[in-house]
Amino acid sequence: MSGVKNYKELLIWQKGIKLVVLVYKLTRNFPKEEVFALTSQVKRASVSVPSNIAEGFGRKTDKSFNHFLNISRGSLNELETQLIIAKELEFIVDFNLYDEVILMIEEEAKMINAFAKTIKD
């Protein structure tokens, strides 16, 4: 983390924020009866990614930061699974946006993995 003064400087956090925005756009057309079910879970999982990056950064120890990066990775897996379920249930109407979100999830996971390797435990 040398040289980084604020979590907002981290590319993994910035990409996480972009992912949240795309997920919210993607879920706009989910059925209204899913607002408190799958839609809510998908949104919470997406918000969890940059939130845990920020929280881990704020803990000021490498061990803690790695722990929260692991939680972010778990949230990415959860989010991807939920979106696959939504697609299977035919809740997805914008397949281009869906593909973009899935690709962003994969890229974010790779970036978090690479970043985590730079932090000693």
Side-chain angles (χ1 to χ4, degrees):
M1 284 195 309
S2 66
V4 178
K5 294 179 178 33
N6 190 300
Y7 64 88
K8 291 179 253 177
E9 296 175 30
L10 297 171
L11 292 176
I12 56 173
W13 180 85
Q14 294 169 12
K15 191 169 199 82
I17 295 296
K18 289 178 184 175
L19 177 62
V20 172
V21 172
L22 290 180
V23 164
Y24 269 70
K25 288 179 182 179
L26 186 64
T27 59
R28 280 185 188 149
N29 294 311
F30 280 22
K32 296 301 174 216
E33 64 269 14
E34 286 297 317
V35 168
F36 299 108
L38 190 57
T39 306
S40 176
Q41 284 186 279
V42 168
K43 288 178 176 180
R44 282 185 286 122
S46 71
V47 168
S48 176
V49 175
S51 297
N52 278 293
I53 292 166
E55 184 170 358
F57 184 90
R59 296 294 175 113
K60 302 290 185 194
T61 69
D62 290 343
K63 185 174 182 177
S64 232
F65 197 11
N66 262 329
H67 171 73
F68 283 93
L69 290 175
N70 284 331
I71 293 171
S72 289
R73 280 193 292 253
S75 294
L76 286 169
N77 291 337
E78 180 181 3
L79 174 60
E80 184 175 33
T81 298
Q82 293 163 349
L83 291 176
I84 291 167
I85 291 167
K87 185 178 180 189
E88 291 294 318
L89 292 171
E90 299 178 353
F91 294 170
I92 304 292
V93 296
D94 186 339
F95 293 104
N96 290 330
L97 183 55
Y98 171 83
D99 290 341
E100 184 179 353
V101 169
I102 294 297
L103 181 62
M104 187 173 272
I105 289 169
E106 293 168 359
E107 289 173 354
E108 178 76 342
K110 289 176 185 173
M111 287 174 65
I112 290 173
N113 287 339
F115 184 78
K117 288 178 183 173
T118 69
I119 300 172
K120 59 184 182 296
D121 228 356

